[in-house]
Amino acid sequence: MRRNQVAVVGAAETTELGVIPNMSQIQLHADAALNAIKDAGLKLSDIDGFSTAVETPQQICHYLGITPTWVDGTSVGGCSFMLHVRHAAAAIEAGLCKTVLITHAESGKSNIGRTPRMVGPDSLNGQFELPYGVTTPASMFPIPVLRFMKTHGITHEQLAMVAVVQREWAGKNPRATMKEPITVADVLNSRMIAYPLRLLQCCLVTDGGGALILTSADRAKNFPQKPVYILGTGESVETPMVSQMETFNSSRAFKLAGPLAFREAGITHKDVDHLMIYDAFAHLPLYGLGDLGFMPHEETGKFVAEGNTRPGGKLPLNTNGGGLSYMHSGMYGMYALQESVRQMRGIAPAQVPGAKISVCHGVGGMFAASGTIIFTNEK
């Protein structure tokens, strides 16, 4: 994909975030979509491309009353929406469509009209992990953590600091679910979930959704909002089974998707002003900092503990509060994308002064997939 040829011209989350028992999952999709369409100054009839995950494109398109000429139902977990942005940009460049709507919504807390999640007994996970008790994210994600910590010298206190710093960012965000400051002691004294991860190191469970609208850079200048251009993209998959990762010390999918986006964007790590790394659990930002090439893995825990990612730090990270404190409906990638767009528009609650380049990196499944989108506000 060529740099700066496609732009985000509409972006919005659902009207409410958190606990929304009065709306079904499909209604949340519609709410997010209509908010994004209003943000872009469009009508539903202007949409000719559509992407979503979990729910099928035909279900959401029928509910919205749109008939697109290009659709994408890629569903690889929480980073699906990073992949949707990449695919939509390619489709727009290829002339397959002009205006793409990407939606996500989950009734993750209230479970109103939510599509049930299950592990098929004949799937690889069902045959080779489920019988041994590896059943949920809380029992899957911690599997690599101890090896990662031992190999790279990451301490429990450093891992706890990820949650502490992200709560600082959340305290600046009126829409965040959890805003009260926390300390390392608070994190380490919170209830154990699956060793070594405690409650405050695990993502929230909420309701909500979000939507993006993409079009060509040439058309973007005619929209009311400041365009946010797509500078580089990357995606990859590794394995559906956490037990079969190439190594617990790194994510192969992370190491492919991130550098691919950097090469496409033509930037170096020093050019990055703002960073979003999917944080279903507290260790993921540390994997991301290392696998994306910002620093060796051995330095990641110390980097966060020394305050480099907190407000005023040299590399602002997860400035909405992340999945640990902002919100996490089950698939977090859309909310990370929303915050990158806000930062590039200059309207984020905790705005990074002068930010021009934002890297947004996501994970799908238990390190099964990865997507990276690099945004800029300069053409």
Side-chain angles (χ1 to χ4, degrees):
M1 193 192 83
R2 295 178 298 159
R3 302 170 53 185
N4 290 3
Q5 297 303 304
V6 175
V8 175
V9 294
E13 294 167 335
T14 46
T15 305
E16 296 179 62
L17 295 174
V19 182
I20 316 173
N22 59 317
M23 295 183 75
S24 68
Q25 186 158 292
I26 198 169
Q27 288 177 308
L28 293 171
H29 272 274
D31 184 40
L34 294 174
N35 286 344
I37 287 170
K38 181 179 179 181
D39 182 67
L42 293 172
K43 304 183 296 295
L44 277 168
S45 57
D46 296 318
I47 303 300
D48 62 353
F50 180 76
S51 296
T52 197
V54 181
E55 298 282 1
T56 62
Q58 59 267 36
Q59 172 125 323
I60 306 302
C61 287
H62 176 76
Y63 193 73
L64 291 173
I66 59 177
T67 308
T69 57
W70 177 88
V71 296
D72 180 11
T74 300
S75 190
V76 293
C79 69
S80 297
F81 315 101
M82 283 79 171
L83 275 62
H84 292 166
V85 169
R86 189 179 199 230
H87 300 172
I92 291 169
E93 270 208 85
L96 302 180
C97 52
K98 293 182 178 180
T99 310
V100 176
L101 169 66
I102 304 170
T103 71
H104 165 62
E106 282 181 294
S107 183
K109 179 71 172 179
S110 300
N111 285 303
I112 308 300
R114 186 186 189 193
T115 304
R117 291 190 181 186
M118 61 171 289
V119 177
D122 59 345
S123 68
L124 294 175
N125 308 71
Q127 295 179 73
F128 302 111
E129 289 186 341
L130 187 62
Y132 301 96
V134 183
T135 60
T136 65
S139 64
M140 293 178 184
F141 265 122
I143 289 174
V145 178
L146 290 174
R147 172 55 58 186
F148 180 86
M149 293 173 69
K150 181 178 176 62
T151 300
H152 300 307
I154 306 297
T155 68
H156 290 276
E157 289 76 15
Q158 290 171 343
L159 191 60
M161 274 299 292
V162 174
V164 172
V165 170
Q166 291 188 194
R167 185 63 65 86
E168 290 184 30
W169 285 111
K172 298 176 177 293
N173 192 337
R175 298 254 289 175
T177 302
M178 307 296 288
K179 303 182 187 67
E180 290 298 316
I182 55 175
T183 65
V184 169
D186 291 331
V187 176
L188 296 181
N189 289 326
S190 62
R191 179 165 56 89
M192 182 66 71
I193 301 299
Y195 190 79
L197 298 178
R198 296 177 176 273
L199 181 64
L200 293 179
Q201 294 167 307
C202 301
C203 66
L204 300 167
V205 180
T206 65
D207 305 324
L212 296 172
I213 297 175
L214 278 64
T215 192
S216 68
D218 290 338
R219 297 181 69 226
K221 59 187 177 183
N222 299 318
F223 286 76
Q225 299 293 349
K226 181 178 182 179
V228 176
Y229 302 100
I230 299 171
L231 194 58
T233 65
E235 65 182 273
S236 185
V237 295
E238 182 169 351
T239 170
M241 295 186 290
V242 69
S243 63
Q244 300 303 305
M245 289 175 65
E246 183 178 56
T247 172
F248 286 162
N249 297 322
S250 178
S251 165
R252 186 171 65 193
F254 280 24
K255 292 179 72 173
L256 288 172
L260 180 60
F262 272 82
R263 287 194 299 271
E264 189 173 89
I267 65 170
T268 68
H269 295 85
K270 292 182 180 180
D271 297 318
V272 177
D273 303 306
H274 173 255
L275 180 61
M276 297 296 294
I277 298 178
Y278 196 122
D279 62 320
F281 294 87
H283 62 293
L284 289 175
L286 303 185
Y287 274 83
L289 286 168
D291 287 338
L292 269 63
F294 283 93
M295 65 200 67
H297 286 100
E298 291 79 6
E299 297 177 12
T300 58
K302 183 179 179 182
F303 186 80
V304 173
E306 290 179 345
N308 292 297
T309 63
R310 71 183 355 146
K314 65 173 67 174
L315 184 59
L317 170 65
N318 292 347
T319 51
N320 60 352
L324 302 183
S325 289
Y326 179 59
M327 70 91 65
H328 193 303
S329 58
M331 298 171 71
Y332 173 74
M334 174 59 76
Y335 311 105
L337 289 165
Q338 293 284 333
E339 177 65 8
S340 281
V341 170
R342 286 192 290 262
Q343 288 287 343
M344 292 299 92
R345 285 180 167 181
I347 61 170
Q351 181 63 41
V352 176
K356 297 179 180 179
I357 293 179
S358 174
V359 174
C360 188
H361 177 76
V363 62
M366 310 308 132
F367 288 112
S370 182
T372 308
I373 305 296
I374 301 179
F375 295 102
T376 183
N377 50 28
E378 293 187 336
K379 182 70 167 71

